[in-house]
Amino acid sequence: MITSGTGIGWRPELALAIDRDRALSFVEITAENHPDLARLPAHLHQLRERGVAIIPHGISLSLGGAERINVQTVKHLGALAREFNSPLVSEHIAFVRAGGREAGHLLPVPRTKASLAVLVENVKAAQDLLEVPLALENISALFDWPCDQREIEEAEFIECLLDQTGAMLLLDVANVFANTRNLGGDPIAFLTRMSKLHLAYIHMGGGYESADGIYHDTHAHDVPQGAIDLLEELAAFSPPPGVMLERDDHFPDQASLATELKRIRDALNRGAARLRLAGDCRSPLA
Amino acid sequence: MSDANRDNLAAAQAKLVAALTAGDDSPAGFDDDRLHLTARTLLTKRRQAIAKIWPVLAESLDDRFAAMFADYAQSRPMPAEGHAADARAFAEDLLSQRELPDSGCVALLLARVQTGWPIRLIRLFQKKRWAIAIRIWRRIRWLRLPF
């Protein structure tokens, strides 16, 4: 697999805690936070020398947008990958701007044949400019498009997208938790289908539920137990690739961060144990 | 693929983004409540990013920050250059309305002197004085003038 073990989203506020956790096998960097290759944090190079993989992750490419992609944004992802000898880069199945306005966040794309065709064309254009594989991430949203704009269900939409582009999936399990909570759907059925795709790595971010029952995917709170349970289910289907924690604000102290990572590792171990047990039951007795 | 595909998608996406960031009506068929909720989330995210980049600006406006930024953001889309540019434009707008407190003025002065002309002036409306900033190579010095 292209990634393994556990990782974390690198942020300057977390650098010390990341440095002290020798069990981390990869970190993800947000490409837009590091626009200048001449001024990359020295810590990233130190991690690289230690054997920690570094995965550039973009947030502004707007692959699902109607506009053609910005070549410079893709090239910057590629340049970061070259700098750190990264195994891959990643972006989102989303759009972030339209009609001359920036949304400031990832928005879901309509799930029609026409929008899939645009997305596929944009992804292929990005892949043509990259020397490493591209992984695409499922996002979370508080709303969905109207019925006539979702002729393809999300799982099938992602399957078609990967099939037509050869891209890998960056599976955000916490986003699956968030979307099924806020918009409905069966998270286990969704994950079962996703587990059969070419997985690059897995995101686990935190959030909270507001008084009106809406779940907010903030990356500023602990990972909800429901998302941890889904990760265990995923690991019980098949051995997953690398799994990483996303934390973007309200940074915890080192002990709390270690606890969050331990919850992830424990869920993976529980899932792996169930998978072994299931395998033992299937195999004929010697 | 036909360009009509992209044009149709562009129109649908533009209407959605306008509803989420500029207070336009929700496009037909969308869940109104959820779009309003998303719009509030986007605005909060934008405001928090500014508070993180320029804590002095947020602190100087104190409890007026959220409302003043909401007013501002209604007619000003987020710049493509990102949150730092957004913070800078918001501060410039406040200054033009004489609503920028002195500590915010100093922060803006220091931002202005980073690029372009190496000597910059700003009016501190509360103290009724000028402040000046000078950039020599990459070092920046500023002081309040006695008038």
Side-chain angles (χ1 to χ4, degrees), chain A:
Chain A
M1 267 182 281
I2 200 158
T3 60
S4 62
T6 45
I8 192 164
W10 191 91
R11 302 286 178 270
E13 294 88 342
L14 295 173
L16 186 61
I18 291 171
D19 199 61
R20 287 177 176 168
D21 188 340
R22 298 282 151 163
L24 291 171
S25 54
F26 68 101
V27 297
E28 182 193 78
I29 55 170
T30 303
E32 286 76 1
N33 291 349
H34 304 282
D36 187 353
L37 253 59
R39 297 176 72 176
L40 291 168
H43 185 229
L44 292 174
H45 289 103
Q46 290 161 12
L47 287 171
R48 190 67 206 97
E49 279 163 28
R50 220 169 77 191
V52 177
I54 294 172
I55 304 177
H57 179 62
I59 55 175
S60 65
L61 195 50
S62 206
L63 284 167
E67 297 161 25
R68 301 207 179 259
I69 55 167
N70 184 321
V71 169
Q72 289 311 317
T73 309
V74 185
K75 284 189 171 169
H76 182 57
L77 272 172
L80 286 169
R82 240 189 335 273
E83 176 75 19
F84 294 114
N85 199 18
S86 308
L88 77 161
V89 298
S90 56
E91 246 288 353
H92 300 87
I93 304 169
F95 76 104
V96 300
R97 68 184 68 87
R101 289 179 177 276
E102 295 285 323
H105 197 58
L106 306 156
L107 298 175
V109 292
R111 293 190 303 280
T112 59
K113 289 196 183 78
S115 78
L116 178 64
V118 172
L119 179 59
V120 165
E121 199 177 68
N122 286 345
V123 169
K124 283 181 174 170
Q127 287 171 318
D128 284 347
L129 295 165
L130 291 166
E131 293 156 17
V132 290
L134 173 66
L136 302 173
E137 177 178 359
N138 57 303
I139 65 158
S140 71
L142 297 172
F143 69 92
D144 203 350
W145 285 77
C147 294
D148 62 340
Q149 295 293 307
R150 42 184 155 106
E151 46 192 53
I152 310 171
E153 59 171 320
E154 191 181 1
E156 190 185 341
F157 191 82
I158 293 174
E159 287 163 354
C160 291
L161 172 63
L162 299 197
D163 185 53
Q164 291 178 37
T165 60
M168 287 185 284
L169 180 64
L170 160 48
L171 177 58
D172 192 318
V173 171
N175 284 350
V176 175
F177 171 78
N179 277 353
T180 48
R181 278 285 296 272
N182 291 334
L183 302 169
D186 178 355
I188 304 285
F190 185 84
L191 284 179
T192 308
R193 289 174 72 168
M194 294 302 105
S195 71
K196 297 186 176 92
L197 300 175
H198 191 175
L199 297 184
Y201 60 109
I202 291 166
H203 269 181
M204 292 292 286
Y208 76 100
E209 187 180 316
S210 53
D212 52 4
I214 301 282
Y215 178 79
H216 298 265
D217 178 55
T218 60
H219 300 177
H221 300 77
D222 287 350
V223 179
Q225 188 56 41
I228 293 280
D229 293 343
L230 288 180
L231 180 65
E232 179 185 329
E233 292 301 323
L234 184 75
F237 297 143
S238 56
V243 181
M244 60 157 270
L245 177 68
E246 289 184 288
R247 187 79 177 207
D248 298 334
D249 211 346
H250 295 140
F251 293 100
D253 60 25
Q254 203 181 337
S256 310
L257 193 72
T259 305
E260 280 291 275
L261 286 165
K262 184 171 185 304
R263 290 174 70 214
I264 288 173
R265 288 172 180 140
D266 287 351
L268 291 170
N269 288 336
R270 285 194 302 273
R274 283 168 53 190
L275 185 62
R276 272 197 305 277
L277 193 66
D280 290 346
C281 292
R282 274 197 300 273
S283 61
L285 292 172

